[in-house]
């Protein structure tokens, strides 16, 4: 399926005679109906259908003996927990009088351009739900969310509030792909059959988490990178989330997602409402490769700040691995001068510049410049960086406090805690209760002051280096204390949104000890993310591949650092550069230790990167050989206009003297001729110009051998 073929054409149609909505999202159709019981029923999700007359009206399935009523045998679009339904509900509530039965029926709908809103209401109580569906015709992605409204006269408690459920065509043999990990080992790809029962992937940690990511893909058991139906989705939420992948006893596979119901409770007073996070879903019959390309493009165009017109990510330098907490004006200026020589465009000073931050035991919370390290404030360093032709960025970790800080001494109650219970520290720090209005306002003002006093700060790396513990909110009424999980994330979002509004040129990187806060919620308000604290280039190949299943390389920050690193492994500088150049390039090594040869190679690599970065950051990515499959891996990027393609190839080890496999390229024009440029003549046959047909069918042979060998080849299309 071509991503672009039906691009832009999309429509939402209501087929009144059969009470159906046909959501046409470019290459995808999604169909919902109202059945004879007035329930909302999922009808179809897959490749685009063009004939509304083919679609029959929704009709519920019969009960299965006395054990499964039709609510369990019929694909439910947004089921409440009630009426004898045992499938995972989208909404579970306790009504003001203690009733815990919720049966939602269709009331009305409106279609407004690319958005459909369906109103539902409980059969007896004033508990209302508005389901919103937005179609993105360019990609076929559909966004679901729900607003839950209490129109009864008393308080309602929500025990589970999901954004929506995606029903797949009834059947068996489906396979789930999802991402898991841990600190410094994020983005591991898992693939397993879906069996009857429920698989839950989730975060209970307060942030998106390293351990699992709110993304899924489901195929029919045999899809590969190029072929096969793949249904995929992602939740846009950086707090506790949950995906429940369920196969019912009636062969119905459904994926329900939204706020994690674990330790969740949300009280809606009369007249109040709660909006769920967005849950995005897409479909392709072009395999996992196309599923990723759809998401990459969707994220760049429809999610990330600036959309299609956002600028390319600059090459950055980050001081963390070079200087850790030992930052000062002279040292940072020296690093900046070296970074500038390499062609770096943004210099970022990491941790250590504020309060009493000489190690990780003190200072978090005190967002004032450390005057021993920077006697004249940050101004002289920023000016020096700017005069070297780079912009300046700064690390912050706003949500945290060290007990050894002025902030904690003044406001010990601001840290998340339960009264008279221990406060569990991690990296010597506690989490501020950002759900509190006063804490939120204080943090906004501290960051705003920093940016007002230093208007040339162009970039913040916003870190979050631990998960929640003792998530108490003693100041709130007991029945509302669990709302902390939702209010915290909302308030973090609000601070970022307010800062960006007030400082429109500011760019932000989302970091949480590496990739602990990467999702479509934070991506809609930050320009890039820190992929992982693990910068070992060999590990990175797999980390970056996992990342690429769900997220665009444009957002994927990748640094070149020094070796050995993490695994005691040493890899050549070119290998490290080429790995990092597959995303948004950064350098994080200690430049004071780089030799003249290292500096020369780095300068050439940064120069090369600038000539291919549009293709890498905004092109189409093809995973040709997975680093998980063997000792050889290759990834290709093709620019949006088809004029440039870049191949990165890596060999971690050579065995039995074999050369690497033939590499067939993807995404080129068979009729076109390309000029070939290698960085180090590792392409056999002396090809100078070559046709797309040859590259995609015969393929090329690379001379890669030994340990940790690498190369890149650039193909420029001739007129
Ligand atoms: C986290 C980040 C690192 C670095 C340190 C600083 O671990 O992921 O990149 O900023 O904090 O303390």
């Amino acid at each position: 399926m071509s991503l672009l073929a039906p691009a832009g054409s999309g429509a939402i149609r209501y087929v009144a005679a059969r009470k159906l909505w046909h959501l046409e999202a470019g290459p995808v159709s999604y169909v919902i109906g109202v059945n004879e019981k007035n329930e909302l029923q999922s009808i179809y999700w897959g490749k685009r259908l063009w004939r509304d007359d083919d679609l029959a009206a929704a009709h519920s399935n019969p009960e299965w003996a006395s054990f499964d009523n039709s609510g369990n045998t019929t694909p439910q679009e947004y089921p409440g927990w009630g009426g004898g339904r045992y499938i995972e509900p989208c909404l579970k509530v306790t009504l003001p009088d203690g009733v815990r039965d919720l049966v939602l029926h269709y009331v009305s709908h409106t279609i407004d351009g690319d958005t459909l809103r369906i109103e539902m209401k409980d059969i007896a109580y004033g508990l209302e739900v508005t389901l919103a569906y937005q179609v993105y015709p360019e990609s076929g992605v559909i966004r679901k969310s729900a607003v839950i409204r209490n129109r009864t006269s008393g308080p309602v408690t929500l025990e589970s509030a999901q954004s929506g459920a995606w029903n797949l065509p009834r059947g068996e043999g489906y396979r789930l792909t999802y991402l898991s990990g841990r600190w410094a080992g994020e983005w591991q790809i898992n693939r397993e059959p879906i069996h009857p029962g429920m698989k839950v992937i989730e975060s209970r940690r307060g942030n998106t988490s390293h351990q699992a990511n709110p993304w899924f893909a489901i195929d029919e058991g045999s899809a590969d990178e190029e072929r096969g139906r793949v249904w995929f989705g992602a939740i846009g939420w950086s707090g506790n989330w949950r995906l429940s992948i369920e196969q019912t006893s009636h062969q119905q596979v459904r994926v329900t997602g939204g706020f994690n119901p674990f330790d969740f409770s949300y009280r809606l007073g009369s007249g109040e409402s709660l909006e769920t996070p967005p849950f995005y879903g897409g479909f392709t019959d072009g395999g996992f490769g196309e599923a990723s390309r759809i998401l990459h493009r969707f994220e760049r165009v429809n999610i990330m700040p600036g959309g299609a017109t956002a600028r390319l990510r600059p090459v950055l330098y980050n001081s963390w691995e070079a200087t850790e907490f030992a930052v000062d004006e002279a040292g940072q200026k020296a690093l900046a001068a070296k970074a500038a020589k390499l062609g770096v465009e943004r210099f970022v000073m990491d941790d250590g510049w504020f309060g009493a931050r000489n190690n990780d035991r003190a200072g978090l919370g005190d967002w004032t410049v450390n005057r021993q390290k920077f006697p004249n404030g940050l101004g002289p360093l920023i000016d020096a960086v700017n005069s070297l032709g780079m912009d300046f960025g700064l690390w912050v970790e706003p949500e945290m406090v060290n007990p050894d800080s002025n902030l904690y001494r003044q406001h010990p109650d601001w840290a998340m805690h339960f009264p008279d219970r221990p406060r569990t520290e991690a990296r010597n720090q506690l989490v501020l209760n950002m759900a509190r209005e006063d804490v939120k306002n204080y943090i906004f003002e501290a960051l705003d002051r920093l940016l007002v006093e230093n208007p040339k700060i162009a970039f913040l790396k916003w870190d979050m280096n631990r998960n929640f513990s003792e998530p108490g909110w003693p100041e709130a009424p007991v029945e509302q204390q669990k709302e902390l999980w939702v209010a915290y994330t909302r308030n973090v979002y609000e601070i970022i949104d307010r800062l960006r509004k007030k400082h429109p040129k500011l760019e932000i990187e989302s970091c949480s000890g590496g990739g602990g806060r990467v999702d479509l919620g934070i991506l809609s308000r930050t320009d890039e993310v820190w992929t992982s604290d693990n910068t070992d280039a060999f590990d990175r190949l797999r980390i970056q591949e996992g990342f690429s299943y769900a997220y665009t390389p444009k957002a994927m920050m990748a640094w070149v650092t020094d070796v050995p690193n993490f695994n005691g492994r040493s890899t050549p500088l070119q290998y490290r550069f080429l790995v990092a150049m597959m995303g948004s390039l950064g350098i994080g090594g200690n430049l004071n230790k780089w030799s003249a040869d290292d500096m020369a190679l780095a300068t050439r690599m940064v120069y090369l990167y600038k000539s291919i970065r549009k293709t890498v950051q905004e092109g189409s990515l093809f995973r040709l050989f997975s680093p998980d499959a063997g000792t050889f891996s290759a990834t290709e990027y093709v620019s949006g206009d088809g004029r440039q393609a870049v191949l990165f190839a890596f060999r971690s080890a050579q065995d039995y003297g074999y050369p690497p496999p033939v590499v067939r390229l993807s995404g080129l024009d068979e009729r076109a001729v390309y000029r070939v440029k290698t960085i180090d003549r590792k392409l056999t046959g002396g090809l100078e110009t070559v046709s797309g047909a040859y590259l995609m069918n015969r393929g090329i042979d690379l001379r890669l051998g030994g340990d940790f060998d690498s190369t890149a080849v650039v193909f420029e299309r001739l007129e």
Side-chain angles (χ1 to χ4, degrees):
M1 180 195 298
S2 156
L3 183 63
L4 294 176
S9 63
I12 299 173
R13 281 194 303 281
Y14 181 58
V15 184
R18 276 162 284 142
K19 288 195 171 179
L20 295 173
W21 295 271
H22 184 176
L23 285 70
E24 274 184 349
V28 171
S29 282
Y30 188 82
V31 185
I32 317 163
V34 181
N35 68 22
E36 81 291 356
K37 294 181 173 160
N38 223 15
E39 296 169 339
L40 221 51
Q41 189 172 325
S42 314
I43 308 275
Y44 176 76
W45 182 27
K47 194 164 181 166
R48 182 168 173 165
L49 308 173
W50 62 270
R51 193 165 179 265
D52 292 344
D53 285 349
D54 295 344
L55 300 164
H59 200 281
S60 66
N61 293 329
E63 68 175 17
W64 182 250
S66 50
F67 286 94
D68 276 318
N69 69 24
S70 89
N72 298 295
T73 60
T74 304
Q76 304 279 323
E77 180 68 13
Y78 194 88
W81 186 72
R85 285 186 191 84
Y86 310 111
I87 54 171
E88 183 61 29
C90 281
L91 191 55
K92 183 175 187 314
V93 304
T94 300
L95 292 157
D97 55 6
V99 167
R100 303 192 318 283
D101 184 68
L102 179 70
V103 178
L104 294 168
H105 276 181
Y106 168 72
V107 177
S108 65
H109 77 272
T110 54
I111 296 172
D112 181 7
D114 284 342
T115 304
L116 163 68
R117 282 192 188 77
I118 300 179
E119 305 293 339
M120 300 173 83
K121 186 185 156 306
D122 177 63
I123 48 175
Y125 287 72
L127 196 287
E128 300 176 355
V129 179
T130 305
L131 300 181
Y133 297 82
Q134 186 176 349
V135 301
Y136 295 88
E138 300 290 329
S139 56
V141 170
I142 294 167
R143 176 195 198 271
K144 292 184 177 185
S145 64
V147 176
I148 300 139
R149 219 171 299 105
N150 175 9
R151 291 238 190 271
T152 72
S153 53
V156 168
T157 303
L158 310 184
E159 286 146 25
S160 170
Q162 302 301 302
S163 308
W166 299 93
N167 283 282
L168 275 75
R170 193 177 52 76
E172 285 191 316
Y174 283 108
R175 191 169 60 162
L176 170 69
T177 305
Y178 69 99
L179 296 161
S180 67
R182 58 175 181 161
W183 175 76
E186 306 89 331
W187 311 111
Q188 307 296 314
I189 303 161
N190 305 277
R191 195 161 278 168
E192 63 193 33
I194 297 177
H195 290 307
M198 195 156 83
K199 165 100 183 180
V200 168
I201 52 176
E202 62 175 351
S203 168
R204 298 180 174 187
R205 292 167 177 263
N207 66 346
T208 323
S209 95
H210 302 79
Q211 282 68 21
N213 191 268
W215 168 88
F216 72 89
I218 295 178
D219 73 301
E220 292 169 302
S222 59
D224 60 21
E225 283 294 298
E226 292 166 16
R227 271 170 294 269
R229 293 190 185 91
V230 179
W231 292 262
F232 53 92
I235 304 174
W237 185 243
S238 313
N240 283 359
W241 56 270
R242 190 177 78 166
L243 283 169
S244 314
I245 299 96
E246 180 181 14
Q247 181 176 315
T248 71
S249 44
H250 299 275
Q251 297 181 315
Q252 183 62 56
V253 169
R254 46 199 305 275
V255 183
T256 308
F259 293 126
N260 195 338
F262 181 83
D263 200 43
F264 176 92
S265 173
Y266 205 99
R267 188 174 179 276
L268 291 183
S270 180
E272 290 180 346
S273 62
L274 175 69
E275 184 170 3
T276 70
F279 191 7
Y280 302 90
F283 168 81
T284 178
D285 59 5
F288 295 105
E290 187 68 3
S292 299
R293 288 187 289 276
I294 289 170
L295 272 175
H296 296 170
R297 188 180 146 82
F298 172 70
E299 287 154 3
R300 281 192 290 102
V301 174
N302 298 110
I303 296 289
M304 292 172 63
T309 59
R311 67 175 185 133
L312 297 173
R313 301 284 77 226
V315 177
L316 70 69
Y317 179 81
N318 179 292
S319 67
W320 172 243
E321 293 196 24
T323 46
E324 296 212 336
F325 301 97
V327 295
D328 61 22
E329 192 179 308
Q332 294 295 300
K333 277 183 176 167
L335 279 172
K338 295 197 163 152
K341 282 199 184 126
L342 303 179
V344 165
E345 297 157 315
R346 168 170 289 166
F347 182 86
V348 183
M349 177 161 65
D350 209 278
D351 204 345
W353 59 269
F354 53 91
R357 189 73 170 166
N358 298 316
N359 49 52
D360 65 15
R361 293 189 295 279
L364 283 177
D366 299 338
W367 299 107
T368 47
V369 178
N370 181 311
R371 290 280 165 172
Q372 268 107 49
K373 297 175 181 177
F374 298 93
N376 302 307
L378 297 177
L381 173 61
I382 298 177
D383 287 344
V385 165
N386 290 166
S387 67
L388 288 162
M390 301 182 290
D391 71 21
F392 180 81
L394 196 61
W395 179 95
V396 289
E397 194 181 358
E399 300 150 77
M400 297 291 157
V401 65
N402 286 118
D404 185 0
S405 66
N406 293 334
L407 182 66
Y408 192 75
R409 283 183 279 274
Q410 280 161 23
H411 296 288
D413 52 320
W414 282 12
M416 215 175 261
H417 71 284
F418 289 113
D420 305 321
R421 305 276 307 169
R423 303 177 180 199
T424 303
E425 293 179 19
R427 206 195 193 201
N428 311 301
Q429 64 197 57
L430 297 169
V431 187
L432 289 172
N433 183 359
M434 302 291 285
R436 287 175 58 140
E437 287 294 298
D438 49 0
V439 176
K440 175 187 79 178
N441 291 332
Y442 175 87
I443 294 300
F444 171 79
E445 277 154 26
L447 294 172
D448 182 49
R449 195 176 319 116
L450 188 64
L451 295 169
V452 167
E453 285 171 6
N454 300 284
K456 290 184 189 149
I457 293 178
F459 171 86
L460 291 179
K461 173 178 172 187
W462 181 303
D463 209 339
M464 187 218 192
N465 272 317
R466 59 158 295 178
N467 299 125
F468 295 11
S469 61
E470 297 92 21
W473 187 359
E475 302 77 17
V478 171
E479 65 278 10
Q480 287 184 265
Q481 291 184 1
K482 290 182 183 170
E483 290 168 27
L484 172 142
W485 296 108
V486 171
Y488 181 105
T489 301
R490 287 256 158 90
N491 285 348
V492 169
Y493 284 173
E494 187 190 314
I495 294 173
I496 296 176
D497 294 346
R498 279 169 68 190
L499 284 176
R500 290 195 78 120
K501 194 154 186 245
K502 192 156 173 220
H503 306 275
K505 290 198 180 130
L506 180 72
E507 293 188 346
I508 301 180
E509 174 178 301
S510 169
C511 173
S512 176
R517 192 187 260 159
V518 182
D519 59 79
L520 294 185
I522 201 72
L523 259 190
S524 70
R525 37 183 60 84
T526 52
D527 305 274
E528 59 191 50
V529 297
W530 182 220
T531 313
S532 175
D533 274 349
N534 183 342
T535 54
D536 172 291
F538 177 68
D539 281 359
R540 270 278 175 157
L541 283 177
R542 283 164 298 164
I543 285 174
Q544 294 182 177
E545 181 181 59
F547 184 98
S548 80
Y549 269 73
Y551 301 106
T552 167
K554 186 172 187 183
M556 183 180 78
M557 293 311 296
W559 304 347
V560 178
T561 58
D562 296 332
V563 287
N565 197 327
F566 264 92
N567 301 303
R569 180 186 291 127
S570 286
T571 52
L573 188 58
Q574 172 174 310
Y575 182 97
R576 281 176 271 149
F577 257 100
L578 292 182
V579 170
M581 284 160 64
M582 293 198 293
S584 279
L585 177 64
I587 298 174
N590 187 351
L591 300 181
N592 296 321
K593 294 191 180 153
W594 285 26
S595 68
D597 283 352
D598 291 343
M599 294 293 281
L601 176 64
T603 307
R604 287 201 303 279
M605 287 290 161
V606 171
Y607 184 81
L608 170 67
Y609 181 71
K610 288 177 182 170
S611 74
I612 57 168
R613 79 169 131 189
K614 187 167 172 57
T615 302
V616 169
Q617 295 185 13
E618 300 187 342
S620 298
L621 179 150
F622 297 88
R623 294 178 288 255
L624 302 181
F625 287 85
S626 167
D628 251 346
T631 56
F632 176 75
S633 67
T635 308
E636 181 197 355
Y637 300 74
V638 181
S639 66
D641 62 7
R643 303 194 67 79
Q644 187 183 62
V646 190
L647 175 73
F648 294 91
F650 303 92
R651 190 116 198 245
S652 58
Q654 182 171 22
D655 22 31
Y656 311 112
Y658 284 126
V662 170
V663 178
R664 291 189 198 89
L665 280 89
S666 282
L668 303 179
D669 178 351
E670 294 213 350
R671 301 301 310 163
V673 175
Y674 297 83
R675 171 168 293 119
V676 182
K677 290 193 227 158
T678 73
I679 62 163
D680 50 10
R681 300 180 199 288
K682 286 181 185 156
L683 181 63
T684 63
L687 296 171
E688 285 183 8
T689 61
V690 62
S691 68
Y694 183 93
L695 291 170
M696 294 204 289
N697 298 308
R698 161 49 178 89
I700 55 174
D701 294 298
L702 297 169
R703 262 191 297 267
L704 289 180
D707 291 341
F708 303 116
D709 204 356
S710 61
T711 193
V713 188
V714 181
F715 304 88
E716 308 276 2
R717 185 185 169 131
L718 300 175
E719 283 310 327

